Coordinates of all heavy atoms in Angstrom, one line a residue:
E472 N 29.5 83.0 112.8 CA 30.5 82.8 113.8 C 31.3 83.9 113.8 O 31.9 84.3 115.0 CB 31.3 81.5 113.5 CG 30.4 80.2 113.7 CD 31.3 78.9 113.3 OE1 32.6 79.0 113.7 OE2 30.7 78.0 112.8
A473 N 31.7 84.4 112.8 CA 32.7 85.7 112.8 C 32.0 86.8 113.5 O 32.7 87.5 114.2 CB 33.0 85.9 111.3
L474 N 30.7 87.1 113.3 CA 30.1 88.2 113.9 C 30.0 88.0 115.4 O 30.2 88.9 116.3 CB 28.7 88.5 113.4 CG 28.6 89.1 111.9 CD1 27.3 89.1 111.5 CD2 29.3 90.3 111.9
A475 N 29.7 86.8 115.8 CA 29.7 86.4 117.2 C 31.1 86.7 117.8 O 31.3 87.2 119.0 CB 29.3 84.9 117.5
A476 N 32.1 86.3 117.2 CA 33.5 86.5 117.7 C 33.8 88.0 117.8 O 34.5 88.4 118.8 CB 34.6 85.7 116.6
L477 N 33.4 88.7 116.9 CA 33.6 90.3 117.0 C 32.8 90.8 118.2 O 33.3 91.7 119.0 CB 33.2 90.9 115.8 CG 34.2 90.9 114.6 CD1 33.5 91.6 113.3 CD2 35.5 91.6 115.0
R478 N 31.6 90.3 118.5 CA 30.8 90.7 119.6 C 31.5 90.4 120.9 O 31.6 91.2 121.9 CB 29.4 90.2 119.6 CG 28.5 90.8 118.5 CD 27.1 90.3 118.6 NE 26.4 90.6 117.4 CZ 25.8 89.8 116.6 NH1 25.8 88.5 116.8 NH2 25.3 90.2 115.5
R479 N 32.2 89.1 120.9 CA 32.8 88.8 122.2 C 34.2 89.5 122.3 O 34.8 89.5 123.3 CB 33.1 87.3 122.1 CG 31.9 86.4 122.4 CD 32.4 85.0 122.7 NE 33.3 84.4 121.6 CZ 32.9 83.8 120.5 NH1 31.6 83.6 120.3 NH2 33.8 83.3 119.7
G480 N 34.6 90.1 121.3 CA 36.1 90.9 121.4 C 37.1 90.0 121.0 O 38.2 90.3 121.3
D481 N 36.9 88.7 120.5 CA 38.0 87.8 120.2 C 38.8 88.3 118.9 O 39.9 88.0 118.7 CB 37.4 86.4 120.0 CG 36.9 85.8 121.3 OD1 37.1 86.4 122.3 OD2 36.1 84.7 121.2
G482 N 38.0 88.7 117.9 CA 38.5 89.0 116.6 C 39.2 90.3 116.5 O 39.2 91.1 117.5
T483 N 39.9 90.5 115.4 CA 40.5 91.8 115.0 C 39.4 92.8 114.9 O 38.4 92.6 114.1 CB 41.3 91.7 113.9 OG1 42.3 90.6 114.1 CG2 42.1 92.9 113.6
L484 N 39.6 94.0 115.5 CA 38.7 95.1 115.2 C 38.7 95.7 113.8 O 39.9 95.7 113.3 CB 38.9 96.2 116.2 CG 38.6 95.8 117.7 CD1 39.0 97.0 118.7 CD2 37.1 95.4 117.9
P485 N 37.8 96.1 113.2 CA 37.8 96.6 111.9 C 38.8 98.0 111.8 O 38.6 98.7 112.8 CB 36.3 97.0 111.6 CG 35.5 96.3 112.5 CD 36.4 96.1 113.7
S486 N 39.5 98.0 110.8 CA 40.3 99.2 110.6 C 40.3 99.6 109.1 O 39.8 98.8 108.2 CB 41.7 98.9 111.1 OG 42.3 98.0 110.2
V487 N 40.8 100.8 108.9 CA 40.9 101.2 107.4 C 41.9 100.3 106.6 O 41.7 100.0 105.5 CB 41.4 102.7 107.5 CG1 41.7 103.2 106.0 CG2 40.4 103.6 108.1
R488 N 43.0 99.9 107.3 CA 43.9 99.1 106.6 C 43.3 97.7 106.2 O 43.5 97.1 105.1 CB 45.1 98.7 107.6 CG 46.2 97.8 107.2 CD 47.2 97.7 108.2 NE 48.5 97.4 107.4 CZ 49.6 98.2 107.4 NH1 49.6 99.2 108.2 NH2 50.6 97.8 106.7
I489 N 42.5 97.1 107.2 CA 41.9 95.8 106.9 C 40.7 96.0 105.8 O 40.7 95.2 104.9 CB 41.3 95.2 108.2 CG1 42.5 94.7 109.0 CG2 40.5 94.0 107.8 CD1 42.2 94.1 110.3
A490 N 40.1 97.2 105.8 CA 39.1 97.4 104.8 C 39.7 97.6 103.4 O 39.2 97.0 102.5 CB 38.3 98.7 105.1
A491 N 40.9 98.2 103.4 CA 41.6 98.4 102.1 C 42.0 97.1 101.6 O 42.0 96.7 100.4 CB 42.7 99.3 102.2
A492 N 42.6 96.2 102.4 CA 42.9 94.8 102.1 C 41.8 94.1 101.5 O 42.1 93.4 100.6 CB 43.5 94.1 103.3
E493 N 40.7 94.1 102.1 CA 39.5 93.4 101.6 C 39.0 94.0 100.3 O 38.6 93.3 99.5 CB 38.3 93.5 102.6 CG 38.6 92.8 103.9 CD 38.8 91.2 103.8 OE1 38.0 90.8 103.0 OE2 39.6 90.6 104.3
V494 N 39.0 95.2 100.1 CA 38.6 95.8 98.8 C 39.6 95.4 97.8 O 39.1 95.0 96.7 CB 38.7 97.4 99.0 CG1 38.6 98.0 97.5 CG2 37.4 97.8 99.7
L495 N 40.9 95.3 98.1 CA 41.8 94.9 97.0 C 41.6 93.4 96.7 O 41.6 93.0 95.5 CB 43.3 95.1 97.5 CG 43.9 96.4 97.5 CD1 45.2 96.5 98.1 CD2 43.8 97.0 96.0
F496 N 41.4 92.6 97.8 CA 41.2 91.2 97.6 C 40.0 90.8 96.8 O 40.0 90.1 95.9 CB 41.2 90.4 98.9 CG 41.0 88.9 98.8 CD1 42.1 88.2 98.4 CD2 39.7 88.3 99.0 CE1 41.9 86.7 98.3 CE2 39.6 87.0 98.9 CZ 40.7 86.2 98.5
H497 N 38.9 91.5 97.1 CA 37.6 91.1 96.4 C 37.5 91.9 95.0 O 36.7 91.6 94.1 CB 36.4 91.6 97.2 CG 36.4 90.7 98.4 ND1 36.0 89.3 98.3 CD2 36.6 90.8 99.8 CE1 36.0 88.8 99.5 NE2 36.3 89.7 100.4
G498 N 38.4 93.0 94.8 CA 38.4 93.7 93.5 C 39.3 93.1 92.5 O 39.2 93.4 91.2
R499 N 40.2 92.2 93.0 CA 41.2 91.7 92.1 C 40.7 91.0 90.9 O 41.1 91.2 89.8 CB 42.2 90.8 92.9 CG 43.3 90.1 92.2 CD 44.0 89.3 93.0 NE 43.2 88.3 93.9 CZ 42.9 87.0 93.4 NH1 43.4 86.5 92.3 NH2 42.2 86.3 94.3
P500 N 39.7 90.1 91.1 CA 39.2 89.4 90.0 C 38.5 90.4 88.8 O 38.7 90.1 87.7 CB 38.2 88.4 90.5 CG 38.4 88.3 91.9 CD 39.0 89.6 92.3
L501 N 37.8 91.4 89.3 CA 37.2 92.3 88.4 C 38.3 93.0 87.7 O 38.4 93.3 86.5 CB 36.4 93.4 89.2 CG 35.6 94.4 88.3 CD1 34.8 93.7 87.3 CD2 34.9 95.3 89.3
L502 N 39.3 93.5 88.4 CA 40.5 94.2 87.8 C 41.2 93.3 86.8 O 41.5 93.8 85.6 CB 41.4 94.7 88.9 CG 42.6 95.4 88.4 CD1 42.3 96.8 87.7 CD2 43.6 95.7 89.6
H503 N 41.4 92.1 87.1 CA 42.0 91.0 86.2 C 41.2 90.9 84.9 O 41.7 90.9 83.8 CB 42.2 89.7 87.0 CG 42.7 88.8 86.0 ND1 44.1 88.7 85.8 CD2 42.3 87.6 85.4 CE1 44.4 87.7 85.0 NE2 43.3 86.9 84.8
L504 N 39.8 90.9 85.1 CA 39.1 90.7 83.9 C 39.1 92.0 83.0 O 39.1 92.0 81.7 CB 37.5 90.5 84.3 CG 37.3 89.0 84.8 CD1 35.8 88.8 85.3 CD2 37.6 88.0 83.7
L505 N 39.0 93.1 83.7 CA 39.1 94.4 82.9 C 40.5 94.6 82.1 O 40.5 95.0 81.0 CB 39.0 95.5 83.9 CG 37.6 95.8 84.4 CD1 37.6 97.0 85.5 CD2 36.6 96.3 83.3
M506 N 41.5 94.1 82.7 CA 42.8 94.2 82.1 C 42.9 93.1 81.0 O 43.4 93.4 80.0 CB 43.9 93.8 83.1 CG 44.1 94.8 84.3 SD 44.6 96.5 83.5 CE 46.3 96.1 83.0
L507 N 42.3 92.0 81.1 CA 42.2 90.9 80.0 C 41.4 91.5 78.9 O 41.8 91.3 77.7 CB 41.6 89.7 80.5 CG 42.5 88.7 81.3 CD1 41.5 87.5 81.8 CD2 43.6 88.3 80.6
A508 N 40.2 92.2 79.2 CA 39.5 92.8 78.1 C 40.3 93.9 77.4 O 40.1 94.0 76.2 CB 38.2 93.3 78.6
R509 N 41.0 94.6 78.2 CA 41.7 95.7 77.5 C 43.0 95.4 76.8 O 43.2 95.9 75.7 CB 42.0 96.8 78.7 CG 42.5 98.1 78.2 CD 42.2 99.1 79.2 NE 42.3 100.4 78.5 CZ 42.7 101.4 79.2 NH1 43.0 101.5 80.4 NH2 42.7 102.6 78.5
R510 N 43.7 94.4 77.4 CA 45.0 94.2 76.8 C 45.1 92.8 76.0 O 45.9 92.5 75.4 CB 46.1 94.0 78.0 CG 46.1 95.2 78.9 CD 46.9 96.2 78.5 NE 48.3 96.0 78.3 CZ 49.2 96.8 78.2 NH1 49.0 98.0 78.0 NH2 50.5 96.3 78.0
G511 N 44.0 92.1 76.1 CA 43.9 90.7 75.4 C 44.4 89.7 76.2 O 45.0 89.9 77.3
R512 N 43.9 88.4 75.7 CA 44.1 87.3 76.6 C 45.7 86.8 76.6 O 45.9 86.1 77.6 CB 43.3 86.1 76.0 CG 41.8 86.2 76.3 CD 41.1 85.0 75.9 NE 39.9 84.9 76.7 CZ 39.2 83.8 76.8 NH1 39.6 82.8 76.1 NH2 38.2 83.7 77.4
K513 N 46.4 87.2 75.7 CA 47.9 86.8 75.7 C 48.7 87.7 76.4 O 50.0 87.4 76.5 CB 48.2 86.7 74.2 CG 47.5 85.5 73.5 CD 48.0 85.2 72.3 CE 47.3 84.0 71.6 NZ 47.9 83.3 70.6
S514 N 48.3 88.9 76.9 CA 49.1 89.8 77.6 C 49.3 89.2 79.0 O 48.5 88.8 79.7 CB 48.3 91.1 77.7 OG 49.1 92.0 78.5
W515 N 50.6 89.4 79.4 CA 50.9 89.1 80.9 C 50.8 90.2 81.7 O 50.9 90.0 82.9 CB 52.5 88.8 80.8 CG 53.4 89.9 80.1 CD1 53.8 89.9 78.9 CD2 53.9 90.9 81.0 NE1 54.5 91.1 78.9 CE2 54.6 91.8 80.0 CE3 53.8 91.4 82.3 CZ2 55.2 92.9 80.3 CZ3 54.4 92.6 82.6 CH2 55.1 93.3 81.6
V516 N 50.3 91.3 81.2 CA 50.1 92.5 82.1 C 48.9 92.2 83.2 O 49.0 92.6 84.3 CB 49.8 93.8 81.4 CG1 49.5 95.0 82.3 CG2 51.1 94.1 80.5
A517 N 47.9 91.6 82.6 CA 46.8 91.4 83.5 C 47.2 90.4 84.6 O 46.7 90.6 85.8 CB 45.7 90.6 82.6
W518 N 48.0 89.3 84.3 CA 48.4 88.3 85.3 C 49.3 89.1 86.3 O 49.2 88.9 87.5 CB 49.1 87.3 84.7 CG 48.2 86.4 83.7 CD1 48.2 86.6 82.4 CD2 47.2 85.6 84.2 NE1 47.3 85.7 82.0 CE2 46.6 85.1 83.0 CE3 46.8 85.0 85.3 CZ2 45.5 84.1 83.0 CZ3 45.8 84.1 85.4 CH2 45.2 83.7 84.3
L519 N 50.3 89.9 85.9 CA 51.1 90.6 86.7 C 50.4 91.6 87.6 O 50.7 91.6 88.8 CB 52.2 91.4 85.9 CG 53.2 92.0 86.7 CD1 54.1 91.1 87.5 CD2 54.3 92.9 85.8
T520 N 49.4 92.3 87.1 CA 48.5 93.1 87.9 C 47.8 92.4 89.0 O 47.8 92.9 90.2 CB 47.5 94.0 87.0 OG1 48.4 94.6 86.0 CG2 46.7 94.8 87.7
A521 N 47.2 91.3 88.7 CA 46.6 90.5 89.6 C 47.4 90.1 90.8 O 47.1 90.1 91.9 CB 45.9 89.3 89.0
L522 N 48.6 89.6 90.4 CA 49.6 89.1 91.4 C 50.1 90.3 92.2 O 50.1 90.1 93.5 CB 50.9 88.6 90.7 CG 52.0 88.1 91.6 CD1 51.5 86.8 92.3 CD2 53.2 87.8 90.8
I523 N 50.4 91.5 91.7 CA 50.7 92.5 92.6 C 49.6 92.9 93.5 O 49.8 93.2 94.7 CB 51.1 93.7 91.6 CG1 52.4 93.5 91.0 CG2 51.1 95.0 92.4 CD1 52.9 94.3 90.0
V524 N 48.3 93.0 93.0 CA 47.2 93.4 94.0 C 47.0 92.3 95.0 O 46.7 92.7 96.1 CB 45.8 93.6 93.1 CG1 44.6 93.7 93.9 CG2 46.0 94.8 92.1
D525 N 47.2 91.1 94.6 CA 47.0 90.0 95.6 C 48.0 90.1 96.7 O 47.7 90.0 97.9 CB 47.1 88.7 94.9 CG 46.6 87.5 95.8 OD1 45.7 87.7 96.5 OD2 47.2 86.5 95.7
Q526 N 49.2 90.4 96.4 CA 50.4 90.6 97.3 C 50.1 91.8 98.2 O 50.5 91.8 99.4 CB 51.7 90.5 96.7 CG 52.1 89.3 96.0 CD 52.1 88.1 96.9 OE1 52.7 88.3 98.0 NE2 51.4 87.0 96.7
A527 N 49.7 92.9 97.5 CA 49.4 94.1 98.4 C 48.2 93.9 99.3 O 48.4 94.4 100.5 CB 49.0 95.3 97.4
S528 N 47.3 93.1 98.9 CA 46.2 92.9 100.0 C 46.7 92.1 101.1 O 46.3 92.3 102.3 CB 45.0 92.2 99.2 OG 45.3 90.9 98.9
I529 N 47.5 91.2 100.9 CA 48.1 90.3 101.9 C 49.0 91.1 102.8 O 49.0 91.1 104.0 CB 48.8 89.0 101.4 CG1 47.7 88.1 100.9 CG2 49.6 88.4 102.5 CD1 48.4 86.9 100.1
A530 N 49.7 92.0 102.2 CA 50.8 92.8 102.9 C 49.9 93.7 103.8 O 50.4 94.2 105.0 CB 51.7 93.6 101.9
L531 N 48.7 94.3 103.4 CA 48.0 95.2 104.3 C 47.3 94.5 105.3 O 47.1 95.0 106.4 CB 46.9 95.9 103.3 CG 47.4 97.1 102.5 CD1 46.3 97.6 101.5 CD2 47.9 98.2 103.4
L532 N 46.9 93.3 105.1 CA 46.0 92.5 106.0 C 46.9 91.9 107.1 O 46.5 92.0 108.3 CB 45.4 91.3 105.2 CG 44.4 90.3 106.1 CD1 43.3 91.2 106.6 CD2 43.9 89.2 105.3
M533 N 48.1 91.4 106.9 CA 48.8 90.7 107.9 C 49.2 91.7 109.1 O 48.9 91.2 110.3 CB 50.1 90.1 107.4 CG 50.0 88.9 106.5 SD 49.3 87.6 107.6 CE 50.6 87.3 108.8
P534 N 49.7 92.9 109.0 CA 50.0 93.6 110.1 C 48.7 94.2 110.9 O 48.9 94.4 112.0 CB 50.7 94.8 109.6 CG 51.2 94.5 108.2 CD 50.2 93.5 107.7
G535 N 47.6 94.1 110.2 CA 46.4 94.6 111.0 C 45.6 93.6 111.8 O 44.8 94.0 112.5
L536 N 46.1 92.3 111.7 CA 45.4 91.3 112.4 C 45.8 91.3 113.8 O 47.1 91.2 114.2 CB 45.7 89.9 111.8 CG 44.9 89.6 110.5 CD1 45.4 88.1 110.0 CD2 43.5 89.8 110.5
R537 N 45.0 91.4 114.8 CA 45.2 91.4 116.2 C 44.2 90.6 117.0 O 43.6 91.2 117.9 CB 45.3 92.9 116.7 CG 46.4 93.7 115.9 CD 47.5 94.1 116.8 NE 48.4 95.2 116.3 CZ 49.3 94.9 115.3 NH1 49.4 93.7 114.9 NH2 50.0 95.8 114.8
P538 N 43.9 89.4 116.7 CA 43.0 88.6 117.4 C 43.5 88.2 118.9 O 44.8 88.1 119.0 CB 42.7 87.4 116.6 CG 44.0 87.1 115.9 CD 44.5 88.6 115.6
R539 N 42.7 87.9 119.7 CA 43.0 87.4 121.1 C 43.7 86.1 120.8 O 43.0 85.3 120.3 CB 41.8 87.4 122.0 CG 42.3 87.2 123.5 CD 41.2 87.3 124.5 NE 40.4 86.2 124.2 CZ 39.2 85.9 124.6 NH1 38.5 87.0 125.1 NH2 38.5 84.8 124.4
P540 N 44.9 85.9 121.4 CA 45.6 84.6 121.2 C 44.7 83.3 121.6 O 44.0 83.5 122.7 CB 46.8 84.6 122.1 CG 47.0 86.1 122.2 CD 45.7 86.7 122.2
K541 N 44.9 82.3 121.0 CA 44.3 81.1 121.3 C 42.7 81.1 121.4 O 42.0 80.4 122.0 CB 44.7 80.4 122.6 CG 46.2 80.1 122.7 CD 46.7 79.7 123.9 CE 48.1 79.2 123.9 NZ 48.6 78.8 125.1
S542 N 42.2 82.0 120.6 CA 40.8 82.1 120.4 C 40.3 81.5 119.2 O 41.1 81.3 118.2 CB 40.2 83.6 120.7 OG 40.6 84.3 119.5
R543 N 39.0 81.3 119.0 CA 38.4 80.8 117.7 C 38.6 81.8 116.6 O 38.9 81.4 115.5 CB 37.0 80.4 117.9 CG 36.2 80.1 116.7 CD 36.0 78.5 116.6 NE 35.0 78.3 115.5 CZ 35.4 77.6 114.6 NH1 36.6 77.2 114.4 NH2 34.6 77.3 113.5
A544 N 38.4 83.0 117.0 CA 38.6 84.2 116.0 C 39.9 84.2 115.5 O 40.3 84.3 114.2 CB 38.2 85.5 116.6
A545 N 41.0 83.9 116.3 CA 42.4 83.9 115.9 C 42.7 82.7 114.9 O 43.2 82.9 113.9 CB 43.3 83.7 117.1
A546 N 42.1 81.7 115.2 CA 42.2 80.4 114.2 C 41.7 80.7 113.0 O 42.2 80.4 111.9 CB 41.8 79.2 115.0
L547 N 40.5 81.3 113.0 CA 39.7 81.5 111.7 C 40.6 82.6 110.9 O 40.6 82.5 109.6 CB 38.3 82.1 112.0 CG 37.4 81.0 112.5 CD1 36.1 81.7 113.0 CD2 37.1 79.9 111.5
E548 N 40.9 83.7 111.5 CA 41.6 84.7 110.8 C 43.0 84.3 110.3 O 43.3 84.5 109.1 CB 41.8 86.0 111.7 CG 40.7 86.7 112.1 CD 40.8 87.9 113.0 OE1 41.9 88.2 113.4 OE2 39.8 88.5 113.3
L549 N 43.7 83.5 110.9 CA 45.0 83.0 110.5 C 44.8 81.9 109.3 O 45.6 81.9 108.4 CB 45.8 82.5 111.7 CG 46.2 83.6 112.6 CD1 47.0 82.9 113.8 CD2 47.1 84.7 112.0
A550 N 43.7 81.2 109.5 CA 43.4 80.3 108.4 C 43.1 81.0 107.1 O 43.4 80.6 106.1 CB 42.3 79.2 108.9
E551 N 42.3 82.0 107.3 CA 42.0 82.8 105.9 C 43.1 83.4 105.4 O 43.3 83.4 104.2 CB 41.0 83.9 106.5 CG 40.6 84.7 105.3 CD 39.8 84.1 104.2 OE1 39.3 83.0 104.3 OE2 39.8 84.7 103.1
V552 N 44.1 83.9 106.2 CA 45.3 84.5 105.6 C 46.1 83.4 104.9 O 46.6 83.6 103.8 CB 46.2 85.2 106.7 CG1 47.6 85.6 106.2 CG2 45.4 86.5 107.2
K553 N 46.3 82.3 105.6 CA 46.9 81.1 105.0 C 46.4 80.7 103.7 O 47.0 80.4 102.5 CB 47.0 80.0 105.9 CG 47.8 78.8 105.5 CD 47.8 77.7 106.5 CE 48.6 76.5 106.1 NZ 48.6 75.4 107.0
R554 N 44.9 80.7 103.6 CA 44.3 80.3 102.4 C 44.5 81.3 101.3 O 44.8 80.9 100.1 CB 42.7 80.2 102.6 CG 42.0 79.8 101.4 CD 40.4 79.9 101.7 NE 40.0 81.2 101.6 CZ 39.9 82.0 100.6 NH1 40.0 81.5 99.4 NH2 39.5 83.2 100.7
R555 N 44.5 82.6 101.6 CA 44.8 83.6 100.6 C 46.2 83.6 100.1 O 46.4 83.8 98.9 CB 44.6 85.0 101.2 CG 43.1 85.3 101.4 CD 42.8 86.7 101.8 NE 41.4 86.9 102.1 CZ 40.9 88.0 102.5 NH1 41.6 89.1 102.4 NH2 39.6 88.1 102.7
R556 N 47.1 83.2 101.0 CA 48.6 83.1 100.4 C 48.6 81.9 99.5 O 49.5 81.9 98.6 CB 49.4 82.8 101.7 CG 49.8 84.2 102.3 CD 50.9 84.0 103.4 NE 51.4 85.1 103.8 CZ 52.1 85.2 104.9 NH1 52.5 84.2 105.6 NH2 52.5 86.4 105.3
N557 N 47.8 80.9 99.7 CA 47.9 79.7 98.7 C 47.1 79.8 97.5 O 47.2 78.9 96.6 CB 47.5 78.3 99.5 CG 48.5 78.1 100.7 OD1 49.6 78.3 100.5 ND2 47.9 77.5 101.7
L558 N 46.5 81.0 97.2 CA 45.7 81.1 95.9 C 46.6 81.2 94.9 O 47.4 81.6 94.4 CB 44.8 82.2 96.1 CG 43.5 82.1 97.0 CD1 42.7 83.3 97.1 CD2 42.7 80.9 96.5

C-alpha cells in the first residue's frame, strides 16, 4: 500500500532527512545491544543512548513529512510517527 501511495504522489517523497531518520530508528536496537555488551547490563549509558537516538530519529522525521492532506498516505505516515513516539 505504501508503494502504491508513493506512485500516486500521496505520500512524502524520499529525502536525505527521512533516510537518516530511518537509519537511526532501525539502527537503534543494534546500537543499544552494542552499548550493553560494551558497558554491561547495569549501565544506564546504553539506555540513555537509545533514548537520544530515538528522539533524534523522530526529530528528523517530523519536519520531513509532507503527505497530501486527507490522503491514505497521510494517515499512514502520521500513525507511524505516533507509534514511534509511544515506543
Side-chain angles (χ1 to χ4, degrees):
E472 289 180 37
L474 290 175
L477 281 174
R478 287 186 195 122
R479 286 193 309 268
D481 292 346
T483 300
L484 295 175
S486 69
V487 174
R488 180 182 208 117
I489 291 176
E493 292 296 320
V494 167
L495 284 174
F496 179 75
H497 293 289
R499 177 181 51 95
L501 178 62
L502 180 63
H503 180 72
L504 287 174
L505 290 172
M506 293 296 291
L507 280 175
R509 189 156 201 210
R510 308 282 291 192
R512 288 184 154 200
K513 295 190 180 201
S514 174
W515 54 268
V516 175
W518 297 100
L519 184 61
T520 302
L522 179 67
I523 290 169
V524 169
D525 195 35
Q526 292 303 311
S528 73
I529 291 171
L531 284 171
L532 185 62
M533 282 301 294
L536 292 180
R537 304 243 189 281
R539 194 172 72 199
K541 298 183 181 178
S542 67
R543 172 108 169 109
L547 290 171
E548 289 178 4
L549 295 176
E551 177 63 16
V552 169
K553 184 177 178 181
R554 185 189 71 79
R555 289 183 185 189
R556 281 188 168 167
N557 290 329
L558 288 179

